[in-house]
Structures are given as C-alpha cells and as structure tokens.
Amino acid sequence: MPDVIFEEIECKSAVNRVAAGNMPFRWTLNPYRGCQHACTYCFARGTHEYLGYDAGRDFETRVVVKVNAAEMLRRDLSREGWRRELIAIGTACDPYQPAELKYSLTHRILKVLRDAANPASIITKSPFIVRDADVLESLAQVADLTVNFSISTLDEDVWKRIEPSTARPQKRLEAMKLLTERGVRCGVLLAPVLPGLTDDPESLERVVEAAREHGASFVHDNVLYLKPGTKEWFMPFLREAYPHLSEHYEKYYRGAYAPKTYTQDVHRTVQDLRRKYDLLTPRHVAPSAGQLQLAM
C-alpha cells in the first residue's frame, strides 16, 4: 500500500445539506475526503479536484481528515430547529477506510448519533465496521439505522483488479451477517455493475443469493457511472486490464452514463432476483452515483 498523507483540518459543520430534491435524505456526513480503498471506478474521484488535488493517486494517498467532526456534529444536532432527520454517512468516501483505524472519527460520530437518537445510514466496503458493533446495536435500538455494504462482484480476479485495496467481498458479507445478528438492519449495494465484467446474470445472482444467505434485508443495484475525473482514471485502467472491452466502453460511455436500455435491463434482472430471493424494497439505501454527485 502506498504511503498516505493525512491532512488534518477542522470543519465548521459536520453535516452537509443536500441541494437536490430527488434524494432519499437531506443531510450527508463524510469524516474523510479521499479514499485509501483506491477503487478504479469511484465516482467521488473528481471531488478531490475541488480541493486542488488530482483525481488519481492524490485521491488515494492524500486523505483529508475532519478531526473535529464528532464535536461539530454534536453542535449541529443541538441546534434549535434540528428535527432528527436522517444523516447519510459515507456518500463521498468510505467512513471505514484504513484512516478510521488511526482516527476513530466514525466511531465517535456514531456515539453522538446514539446519544441524540438520530437516524442514520452508512455506506461501506469495509469489515472494520464490526469494531463498532456495540455502538451500532445501541444506535439501532433508539433510532432508524441502515448499514449498506457495497459489493460489486464475488469474482476474486475481478475484485482484485477493480478494488485493489479493499477487503474481500466475502469478508464484507461476514461482517453484514454479524451486524444483522446484533439487530442492525443491513443490505447490499450491488454497485457498480460493470458492463462485460460483472453484469452477466450468473454473477448478479451470486451476489444476491449470498446477500440473502448473510442476512441482507435488501439489495439495490446501480450501473457504472463515469463522470469527468473518474473516466480519465478508469479508462486507461480498462485498456490495460481488459483491452478486449475498451472499444465497447468507448461506445457505451460517450457521456457519463451507460445506455438507458442497458441500465433498464440490469435493473430488471436484479428486480427478478430480488423477487426470487424474497428481498425487501430498499429503504434508506444509497441513491445512484449521479444523485450522489449532486449531493456533494
């Protein structure tokens, strides 16, 4: 793993209001900016450019740490007029990336949410979350809580290439099972679905079936989204790792989105699998990558 620079800052507020009106939540919280998981497709890469860094290696190795996030959250929640609305944690970068082992910001944030009985949802790829099983369980007892585990594939070869610094998908499933046994509502974000790599029906079914076996309450899918900042990083990776798909992707991703008909086909396939495995309709789960971009 490359050397990482942690840039410690103090924020004026922990929560960010979502401007887009089509979101399932109005508030987000990201204790870190940049992500050591180094997922090749990460839609948040471009947001690092707002900080004056590049969307490639800087995104992976220059992590901004909001060291006072928990204290500012306590202040935010105590403001007159705060209505204990849902706060989505990790919409930009994983709140359980390795930086959390050093700073414990997410752990402290969860304690503040528990003390305030404030609803929350979390998005993560990391089994590190089980370190917070106690506080997650206690939060779930006093407020609405959902943990979303992002799993795009169970194919080990593909996983190693597209998510080089993440935990094995099986480890995420095991973490989800542990949390569900503790009474925490969890589900799987089958995302992103990558054309030609993870989109065949058998691969999709493996994820949905495993999700059900490990206690998931829902599965939500989303097709790969390539906005500027991500596209410039992902396409060279694709040409090197999967050259036979390069021309296909050039046609599919003339813009940021895959063709609508393709996306609809994927959604229908996953919907059929949800029905087959008796999974509930998503609630408080991650919106599409395009929506998340608006949220930031």
Side-chain angles (χ1 to χ4, degrees):
M1 183 175 291
D3 292 337
V4 177
I5 298 171
F6 296 109
E7 181 180 333
E8 299 180 358
I9 67 168
E10 291 192 350
C11 56
K12 295 180 180 180
S13 175
V15 296
N16 301 294
R17 183 190 293 271
V18 177
N22 60 340
M23 302 291 289
F25 46 78
R26 291 209 309 153
W27 303 94
T28 64
L29 193 162
N30 290 285
Y32 307 101
R33 297 294 300 272
C35 189
Q36 294 162 270
H37 284 164
C39 299
T40 56
Y41 54 72
C42 183
F43 75 91
R45 284 183 175 274
T47 65
H48 229 46
E49 295 176 348
Y50 305 158
L51 307 176
Y53 303 134
D54 70 56
R57 291 301 178 197
D58 280 355
F59 179 78
E60 303 165 8
T61 61
R62 298 187 69 99
V63 177
V64 176
V65 182
K66 302 175 185 178
V67 293
N68 65 334
E71 291 76 17
M72 291 299 98
L73 177 62
R74 191 176 299 277
R75 190 190 68 174
D76 292 338
L77 300 186
S78 67
R79 292 182 189 277
E80 185 177 355
W82 178 258
R83 300 180 179 180
R84 294 200 306 183
E85 293 183 68
L86 174 77
I87 298 174
I89 303 171
T91 55
C93 300
D94 200 311
Y96 285 100
Q97 62 178 287
E100 177 65 10
L101 296 176
K102 177 180 175 68
Y103 289 98
S104 296
L105 290 181
T106 304
H107 175 77
R108 289 158 48 199
I109 285 165
L110 291 174
K111 285 185 172 181
V112 173
L113 291 168
R114 178 200 59 193
D115 293 346
N118 199 96
S121 67
I122 302 170
I123 306 170
T124 187
K125 286 184 171 73
S126 177
F128 288 161
I129 193 172
V130 300
R131 301 195 326 155
D132 285 342
D134 288 345
V135 67
L136 288 166
E137 180 180 5
S138 59
L139 173 56
Q141 291 171 353
V142 298
D144 191 9
L145 172 66
T146 302
V147 176
N148 307 274
F149 286 90
S150 176
I151 300 174
S152 60
T153 182
L154 294 181
D155 184 305
E156 293 254 328
D157 180 66
V158 175
W159 156 69
K160 288 177 184 177
R161 290 171 182 257
I162 65 175
E163 301 172 356
S165 297
T166 62
R168 280 183 164 81
Q170 183 61 36
K171 293 295 184 183
R172 303 175 215 173
L173 290 166
E174 292 168 4
M176 180 173 67
K177 183 175 177 61
L178 184 150
L179 292 181
T180 58
E181 291 173 348
R182 297 285 293 268
V184 179
R185 184 174 184 272
C186 299
V188 165
L189 305 182
L190 206 174
V193 176
L194 280 72
L197 288 176
T198 67
D199 61 347
D200 62 280
E202 294 78 13
S203 295
L204 297 174
E205 182 162 9
R206 284 184 65 200
V207 176
V208 176
E209 182 179 16
R212 189 71 179 91
E213 290 175 349
H214 288 80
S217 294
F218 58 84
V219 171
H220 183 65
D221 63 287
N222 190 55
V223 172
L224 177 68
Y225 169 84
L226 292 177
K227 193 173 177 67
T230 301
K231 191 173 187 178
E232 291 82 355
W233 186 253
F234 180 82
M235 293 303 286
F237 153 79
L238 185 80
R239 285 191 288 270
E240 180 177 347
Y242 301 102
H244 64 288
L245 291 175
S246 181
E247 184 177 353
H248 181 63
Y249 272 69
E250 292 289 352
K251 292 179 179 178
Y252 259 37
Y253 289 98
R254 291 189 174 94
Y257 298 97
K260 186 175 181 180
T261 53
Y262 170 81
T263 299
Q264 290 173 337
D265 287 344
V266 171
H267 290 334
R268 277 194 293 268
T269 299
V270 176
Q271 181 63 18
D272 289 343
L273 291 170
R274 285 196 200 100
R275 190 176 299 110
K276 178 178 178 178
Y277 290 97
D278 192 27
L279 287 162
L280 302 178
T281 300
R283 180 168 60 94
H284 298 336
V285 299
S288 71
Q291 288 178 312
L292 287 174
Q293 184 69 27
L294 291 173
M296 293 185 291

